[in-house]
Amino acid sequence: MVAGAGFEPESVRVIRRLRDDILDGVRPPGSKLVERDLATELGVSRVPVRDALATLAAEGLVTLRPRTWAVVREFTARDVADLVEVRSAFEAVTFQLAARRHDAQGLRRLRADLDAELRAARAGDAIRARRAAADFHETATAIAGNDLLVEVGQVLRSRMRWLLGRHDDLQAVADEHRELYEAIAARDVTRVGELVARHVATSGRLIGEHADRLRPGGS
């Protein structure tokens, strides 16, 4: 039987739902993920849940335990430091190539992501702002014109989306993305390099502040 238009396998739906829940903070680090309970909650059999947990483990968001359960990964300070180092190098290449190689269609996509982020930031909608910010980074990768860069980005995608969501100052991040967009549109590669370095530094500071607020006794 041929699937109809719009058909989505249960495993894909379950992966997307659990991934979004983890990245959006609905299922916080350390949360237990039990196949049986998730199957009941999501209205599916245990097979797509099992497949989803395996996929999310491969993406670095879930840690598998013996038998039929898993936990949402708790990223250590070292994990975060490693991600920040990789992100710094990855984005320096990504945004500078995007400035050199973008076309009109790619620039429109980047502008649409930026506009969505700015609207959400102004409205105080943290989930939408963070998702749009991550979309902005992924679109920049897509328009950089390097297939290997896109491939590496896919491997890192979920962990980078997690990292990009570790901040509370929605407007500051959106404003830096606006400056990056303007420099990319102008094909100002030198300016892009300067802005990326500043953006990574700002993000590192905001990630630290976000972590402090989540600690017991944090303000």
Side-chain angles (χ1 to χ4, degrees):
M1 180 176 175
V2 178
F7 172 79
E8 182 177 59
E10 283 186 339
S11 59
V12 174
R13 177 171 64 85
V14 173
I15 290 167
R16 187 180 66 250
R17 168 67 182 277
L18 293 179
R19 184 192 292 120
D20 286 347
D21 282 354
I22 293 169
L23 296 178
D24 293 340
V26 176
R27 300 181 193 270
S31 299
K32 198 170 182 177
L33 303 170
V34 181
E35 281 184 17
R36 179 187 63 253
D37 296 344
L38 289 171
T40 300
E41 175 188 343
L42 300 175
V44 298
S45 72
R46 290 171 66 166
V47 172
V49 172
R50 187 176 305 127
D51 291 344
L53 293 178
T55 296
L56 294 174
E59 292 180 6
L61 296 181
V62 162
T63 302
L64 297 177
R65 300 299 189 199
R67 302 182 187 277
T68 58
W69 59 286
V71 295
V72 177
R73 179 175 176 177
E74 298 186 72
F75 285 86
T76 66
R78 177 56 186 271
D79 292 331
V80 173
D82 288 348
L83 282 170
V84 169
E85 286 179 351
V86 171
R87 177 191 169 192
S88 178
F90 184 85
E91 292 189 352
V93 174
T94 294
F95 283 101
Q96 288 178 328
L97 286 178
R100 290 190 179 100
R101 299 176 177 174
H102 70 266
D103 58 18
Q105 181 180 11
L107 198 61
R108 284 195 296 271
R109 288 169 55 197
L110 197 64
R111 182 75 222 192
D113 293 335
L114 173 63
D115 288 343
E117 183 184 3
L118 288 168
R119 286 194 300 270
R122 285 193 293 267
D125 188 334
I127 288 178
R128 288 186 182 278
R130 290 168 181 156
R131 286 184 179 182
D135 289 343
F136 180 88
H137 282 257
E138 289 180 12
T139 297
T141 303
I143 68 176
N146 185 303
D147 291 342
L148 183 57
L149 198 68
V150 172
E151 184 178 333
V152 172
Q154 285 299 315
V155 172
L156 297 172
R157 182 177 187 268
S158 290
R159 277 169 286 187
M160 285 302 174
R161 277 190 169 256
W162 178 88
L163 182 68
L164 291 168
R166 304 307 98 188
H167 71 88
D168 301 301
D169 196 334
L170 308 176
Q171 194 62 55
V173 173
D175 287 342
E176 289 196 354
H177 282 167
R178 177 178 48 76
E179 290 183 272
L180 266 171
Y181 169 83
E182 291 169 354
I184 289 169
R187 300 191 189 276
D188 189 341
V189 177
T190 300
R191 176 67 172 157
V192 167
E194 294 168 351
L195 291 173
V196 168
R198 192 185 79 185
H199 186 51
V200 171
T202 298
S203 295
R205 175 178 58 79
L206 294 177
I207 288 167
E209 292 173 357
H210 178 81
D212 287 342
R213 290 190 184 96
L214 294 180
R215 291 189 186 101
S219 58

